[in-house]
Amino acid sequence: MTEKRIKIGLVGCGQIADAHLQQIRRIPWAEPVAVCDLEPLLARQAAERFDVPGQFASIEEMLEVSRPDVVHITTPVESHRPLAKLLLDAGVHVYVEKPFTVDADEARDVLDCARRNDRLLCLGHDQLFDPTWLECRERIEAGEIGDVQHVESVLGYPLHGPFGTQVIANPDHWVRRLPGGLFQNTISHPLYRVTEFLSDDQPELQATWFSRFKQISFPTELRAHLRGEDVTGSLLFTSSTKPCHRMTRIYGTNGALEVDLNSQLIRADRVDRYPGAFAKIEAPWRRVCESSANLAQNVRRFCKGELHYFEGMKQTFLRFYEAILEGDEGPVSYDEILRVTEIMDRIFAECRKGDSERSEIKRRTRQTMSGTQTKKHSADNPEGLVAELSAGNGSQTV
Amino acid sequence: MGTRTGNRAMQVLLTGATGFLGRRVLRQLLDEGCAVRCAVRPGSDVQSLRDFVGLRRWSRAETVNVQLANPEQCEGLVQDCDVVYHAAAALSGSASNLVMNSVVPTRNLMNAASEQGVGRFVLVSSLGIYGSQELRRNSLLDEKCPIDPAGHLRDPYTYSKILQEEVAREISQESGLPMVVVRPGVIFGDERGAMSHRVGLQLGGLLLRMGGGQRVPFTYVENCAEAVKLAGFKEGIDGQVFNVVDDDLPTGRQVLRKYRKAGRKFRVIGIPQVATNWLARFNEWYSERTEQQIPAVLTRYRVQAMWKPLQYSNSRAKEMLGWHPSTSFDEAFEKTMASGA
Ligand SMILES: NC(=O)c1ccc[n+]([C@@H]2O[C@H](COP(=O)([O-])OP(=O)(O)OC[C@H]3O[C@@H](n4cnc5c(N)ncnc54)[C@H](OP(=O)(O)O)[C@@H]3O)[C@@H](O)[C@H]2O)c1
């Protein structure tokens, strides 16, 4: 029997590449063989810190020399389509960091390319494989909250963290050039936590974006509502609150579950069993019991060394690599990749529409205001009034 | 070199002018009568820099908005400059961010400087880049000590500074661009107190004092700025490296005592020198066993480089730059405390 082994390359040695390399290193049979970046110094630092033998500034050279089975793409999203197609055409499997592509047209193109080349492609919807999320899914599937009715997803964004500060400081930053700006880079996480439960291809949607900070010229807040046939959803992206939540609340016909990915906790809301004032004792008591169980579970996981921020990423990699070796389907379906990208496009289009409607209203208000001002001015000014009247008279005679 | 070239004032380019050290370098350069072009980022706080140096001096300064990561933008920037002072660097963030903001700009700026025939490139490096883990306890750390050969085993900031110097040296050697390197110790002063990692590590509300008997290689920010300034002026020092630390360096324990005397309260846990190694060994073991559930921030390699008792020398800077740390540590500490830092 041959030894289980998979060779991995990575393109784009920025911040998220560190997380990828760290998680790849946790899989004993996965071997990072090469890193590649147009900026050789970035490739060098990644190779040195993660002990990767190959470092390249050209993908073609990396493919030829290091011969990886899979390549992870961790570059800015604008380059995802050309890079993914180049790699798939070259016959390697591809893992793409979110967001998938600039828009859904590009997404279709890349997915077609994967099908054509019979290579697997996986998108980093990694929070779906986070142990806490998986546990929550299991509990819902076991019927704990009845039928899902509504899903609320929250993402708190550290705008003044290391990445956000770069986006703020640099007007040419690639994030600022995206159709969905800051949101396009991260919103897929809270969104796919909603679409997990919302099966419609084209849910109705309303969305708006705005900024909470006077000195920042691009929108930093986004709100969206989705309405599907059976389930509705809402999405809150905020840069102005703390802590930076990564939370989803799922409401069912018989209770609700709240998943807090940061603290790796699940909290349940149940229907009260006791009437009136007794329920006010029962509810906090239930919270105490639940918190004790959560504490015990996290202590156990801490002792076993299982509390990793990017555990979901490792689990996604594992499933993807296994699918490659066994010729199965990847962990994230192509339909889901496309659907999330399409919904994102629609959210951004809706926000932009709102922007132009608002500026149109402003423009009209300004016009009306200046109109009244002229009128007022002319009323204050008898000469102007006379001129206006005589003009009116003139037109009558004509 | 002096501060005049022919009949005109020396034209210098300064990066990092809005920073803690850079703004003092700028003020001192303007006081010397230099014309200073400051390379700033689009988001840099130029207003507060102008307030800091004062309007009278500001008339000889200009600011240029650039992205130093963009080689084309660097070319015009260094045109007609006699000296480039490069003090910009990122101090925190991921390794890739540090490389992009410290090493890549250095390479681009030096390439542009060599092409434009700049007279001297002054690189603000760091005392942290030495491979001091190889030195014996209490031995002398001076400019002759080798640079850490395994920078990637150090913290990301130090790694970026090691890489920065390596790249700078390569370019200087290949292109013949005259370079002077200044390696400051721990810089402290008004906006930034003296509570450095070299004294102890902050853990929530606790301070883990690491060792305590070892001297901390401080330099007061005004003293340091003067050394940087001189590194651009003095004749005959091309290719030299200067460690910049003040005289009469206090130990970590003495620094804490001074803080207490000044009325600051800390909850301190003293980790004896030998125990710092055990702590690191435990951190490494735990991190490996749990696949980095808690990263190996404290490794034996880093402990040896950071907290080993050593002697520091500033004699080369004194002899060749004619530098003298004019503010003593005690005076500087008092000023710093009075500023509320
Ligand atoms: N502080 C210490 O204890 C210490 C010790 C030894 C050596 N050093 C070195 O001394 C120098 C100055 O340090 P500091 O303490 O003054 O740091 P600081 O206060 O953080 O200032 C850093 C400066 O660099 C600028 N900068 C950062 N990234 C840049 C980029 N990509 N492009 C252009 N400018 C950029 C910043 O501009 P913005 O205003 O736009 O942010 C700021 O002006 C650095 O080279 C540092 O490595 C410091």
Side-chain angles (χ1 to χ4, degrees):
Chain A
M1 213 176 91
T2 54
E3 205 188 329
K4 186 174 181 182
R5 180 168 177 248
I6 193 156
K7 293 200 290 177
I8 295 150
L10 179 142
V11 187
C13 299
Q15 205 165 311
I16 197 66
D18 280 11
H20 280 239
L21 289 164
Q22 251 158 21
Q23 300 313 314
I24 295 167
R25 279 264 171 247
R26 292 180 60 206
I27 304 172
W29 44 273
E31 186 193 347
V33 291
V35 287
C36 177
D37 199 293
L38 282 174
E39 172 52 68
L41 285 166
L42 280 184
R44 175 175 168 185
Q45 61 83 27
E48 284 186 353
R49 289 168 47 245
F50 292 95
D51 197 15
V52 181
Q55 43 174 298
F56 302 90
S58 133
I59 296 194
E60 288 84 358
E61 201 185 330
M62 172 180 85
L63 293 177
E64 199 179 308
V65 177
S66 300
R67 304 201 162 277
D69 303 304
V70 189
V71 173
H72 288 228
I73 300 180
T74 49
T75 54
V77 62
E78 290 160 313
S79 58
H80 285 186
R81 169 162 70 168
L83 290 179
K85 287 181 72 180
L86 187 153
L87 290 162
L88 291 163
D89 284 337
V92 291
H93 304 279
V94 173
Y95 185 100
V96 186
E97 182 49 65
K98 56 82 208 159
F100 188 47
T101 45
V102 172
D103 57 31
D105 285 341
E106 287 197 8
R108 272 181 220 104
D109 190 22
V110 176
L111 294 171
D112 284 346
C113 181
R115 286 192 196 96
R116 218 174 30 244
N117 286 294
D118 195 20
R119 298 287 87 181
L120 276 195
L121 180 141
C122 184
L123 172 62
H125 283 187
D126 49 79
Q127 291 175 4
L128 298 182
F129 303 95
D130 181 285
T132 310
W133 185 264
L134 290 173
E135 186 193 326
C136 168
R137 285 240 45 166
E138 254 174 47
R139 285 168 62 171
I140 291 171
E141 271 153 31
E144 183 172 327
I145 60 169
D147 294 332
V148 174
Q149 298 294 302
H150 180 77
V151 188
E152 223 170 67
S153 221
V154 184
L155 177 71
Y157 188 74
L159 192 60
H160 297 283
F163 188 78
T165 3
Q166 289 178 54
V167 180
I168 297 172
N170 181 2
D172 294 329
H173 197 282
W174 59 267
V175 161
R176 308 249 304 245
R177 292 197 300 264
L178 297 175
L182 183 66
F183 312 108
Q184 187 153 4
N185 203 33
T186 35
I187 210 175
S188 58
H189 285 313
L191 180 61
Y192 63 65
R193 299 200 305 259
V194 174
T195 54
E196 267 262 277
F197 300 98
L198 202 139
S199 54
D200 314 58
D201 274 342
Q202 298 280 327
E204 278 177 40
L205 66 85
Q206 291 170 320
T208 183
W209 64 25
F210 52 96
S211 175
R212 280 264 189 250
F213 305 97
K214 279 210 180 74
Q215 64 280 24
I216 296 177
S217 59
F218 54 89
T220 57
E221 301 281 318
L222 187 143
R223 316 282 185 261
H225 293 284
L226 302 153
R227 180 173 158 185
E229 191 72 25
D230 304 313
V231 179
T232 53
S234 75
L235 198 149
L236 162 63
F237 177 110
T238 172
S239 312
S240 56
T241 62
K242 275 193 182 139
C244 291
H245 288 108
R246 292 191 302 155
M247 210 145 80
T248 297
R249 208 159 211 278
I250 303 134
Y251 297 83
T253 46
N254 204 21
L257 286 181
E258 182 181 275
V259 189
D260 179 348
L261 291 172
N262 283 345
S263 314
Q264 295 278 290
L265 294 177
I266 301 178
R267 284 179 286 257
D269 276 342
R270 299 210 175 88
V271 182
D272 294 331
R273 260 184 288 172
Y274 300 99
F278 293 114
K280 313 286 180 281
I281 307 295
E282 188 211 350
W285 172 244
R286 249 192 346 244
R287 287 267 185 252
V288 170
C289 297
E290 183 178 53
S291 293
S292 313
N294 274 333
L295 176 66
Q297 169 154 309
N298 278 4
V299 168
R300 203 166 44 241
R301 288 182 60 197
F302 180 82
C303 294
K304 286 162 94 182
E306 289 176 0
L307 292 177
H308 293 269
Y309 186 87
F310 286 114
E311 183 62 28
M313 190 182 268
K314 178 194 165 186
Q315 294 303 328
T316 319
F317 293 173
L318 257 177
R319 285 165 170 77
F320 181 50
Y321 300 160
E322 267 161 2
I324 292 171
L325 294 177
E326 274 148 40
D328 289 343
E329 275 187 17
V332 183
S333 80
Y334 292 178
D335 287 347
E336 186 59 6
I337 294 176
L338 185 59
R339 193 166 71 106
V340 170
T341 315
E342 280 172 344
I343 297 178
M344 279 169 62
D345 279 3
R346 288 179 54 216
I347 290 179
F348 304 140
E350 181 79 5
C351 291
R352 273 194 302 274
K353 199 171 109 199
D355 276 355
S356 34
E357 278 168 10
R358 263 186 302 280
S359 40
E360 178 60 21
I361 293 172
K362 255 193 210 151
R363 196 182 61 80
R364 278 210 212 124
T365 321
R366 232 179 290 130
Q367 250 178 4
T368 329
M369 296 275 285
S370 61
T372 26
Q373 256 168 22
T374 329
K375 284 223 172 91
K376 186 166 171 282
H377 184 74
S378 50
D380 287 346
N381 167 5
E383 273 172 70
L385 187 64
V386 172
E388 229 174 6
L389 285 173
S390 53
N393 286 341
S395 63
Q396 266 173 11
T397 37
V398 173
Chain B
M1 267 185 163
T3 59
R4 300 193 72 77
T5 51
N7 279 335
R8 70 175 174 89
M10 191 161 95
Q11 173 69 57
V12 310
L13 173 80
L14 171 63
T15 70
T18 48
F20 174 54
L21 174 65
R23 56 180 54 200
R24 270 93 183 178
V25 175
L26 173 63
R27 192 163 60 184
Q28 295 196 21
L29 286 171
L30 292 171
D31 282 342
E32 295 284 349
C34 299
V36 188
R37 187 178 301 156
C38 304
V40 296
R41 297 194 270 193
S44 300
D45 187 356
V46 176
Q47 177 66 45
S48 93
L49 178 63
R50 193 180 309 145
D51 294 347
F52 181 84
V53 299
L55 275 182
R56 188 179 50 80
R57 292 190 189 92
W58 189 251
S59 59
R60 281 190 307 282
E62 61 172 318
T63 54
V64 183
N65 267 310
V66 282
Q67 297 291 344
L68 297 176
N70 181 338
E72 282 106 61
Q73 292 191 16
C74 291
E75 267 163 33
L77 191 66
V78 296
Q79 227 165 21
D80 308 323
C81 283
D82 303 301
V83 179
V84 172
Y85 286 94
H86 182 37
L91 266 61
S92 60
S94 66
S96 55
N97 181 43
L98 287 156
V99 168
M100 275 314 280
N101 287 295
S102 300
V103 193
V104 172
T106 306
R107 181 198 60 199
N108 294 347
L109 211 53
M110 286 189 79
N111 282 337
S114 76
E115 242 160 62
Q116 297 288 329
V118 166
R120 180 177 292 170
F121 191 92
V122 177
L123 175 69
V124 180
S125 176
S126 162
L127 193 78
I129 72 165
Y130 288 107
S132 35
Q133 62 282 353
E134 296 299 327
L135 298 176
R136 289 171 169 228
R137 283 166 70 89
N138 296 315
S139 58
L140 179 73
L141 186 138
D142 63 10
E143 292 84 351
K144 292 197 266 318
C145 294
I147 293 177
D148 193 334
H152 60 283
L153 299 179
R154 303 283 294 276
D155 62 279
Y157 166 71
T158 309
Y159 173 53
S160 72
K161 293 303 275 186
I162 293 172
L163 211 57
Q164 180 190 40
E165 251 210 68
E166 193 187 313
V167 167
R169 200 157 297 284
E170 263 170 34
I171 297 176
S172 170
Q173 272 162 10
E174 274 168 25
S175 68
L177 174 69
M179 177 172 79
V180 174
V181 177
V182 179
R183 295 179 182 152
V186 178
I187 309 175
F188 77 105
D190 283 6
E191 300 107 74
R192 221 172 275 170
M195 197 46 83
S196 147
H197 283 349
R198 295 217 183 217
V199 176
L201 297 175
Q202 220 101 33
L203 196 73
L206 279 180
L207 182 85
L208 302 184
R209 194 197 63 224
M210 304 298 277
Q214 76 279 23
R215 305 219 166 267
V216 184
F218 281 119
T219 172
Y220 179 51
V221 65
E222 294 289 354
N223 294 344
C224 181
E226 196 190 351
V228 173
K229 176 194 76 181
L230 292 170
F233 292 172
K234 287 285 157 176
E235 306 269 356
I237 56 166
D238 287 334
Q240 284 293 348
V241 173
F242 298 99
N243 290 353
V244 174
V245 291
D246 290 353
D247 295 328
D248 306 320
L249 298 174
T251 64
R253 210 175 272 125
Q254 284 166 340
V255 174
L256 281 173
R257 216 170 288 143
K258 273 180 166 298
Y259 264 105
R260 285 214 185 87
K261 252 193 184 157
R264 305 285 168 92
K265 291 200 173 63
F266 298 102
R267 288 205 293 158
V268 180
I269 297 184
I271 314 281
Q273 198 73 49
V274 282
T276 55
N277 249 323
W278 301 336
L279 203 63
R281 198 183 281 262
F282 176 74
N283 192 178
E284 282 176 59
W285 168 82
Y286 183 79
S287 174
E288 195 181 324
R289 201 186 74 88
T290 61
E291 298 177 345
Q292 297 200 8
Q293 175 175 264
I294 292 175
V297 179
L298 216 57
T299 62
R300 277 167 290 173
Y301 198 81
R302 291 180 191 175
V303 162
Q304 288 293 315
M306 277 283 265
W307 294 294
K308 183 185 282 177
L310 293 169
Q311 309 295 320
Y312 300 93
S313 157
N314 57 13
S315 45
R316 190 187 282 181
K318 282 180 171 169
E319 279 160 27
M320 297 183 79
L321 292 179
W323 173 69
H324 182 75
S326 47
T327 312
S328 71
F329 181 81
D330 286 345
E331 201 186 324
F333 189 84
E334 263 169 39
K335 282 187 179 171
T336 305
M337 288 294 104
S339 76

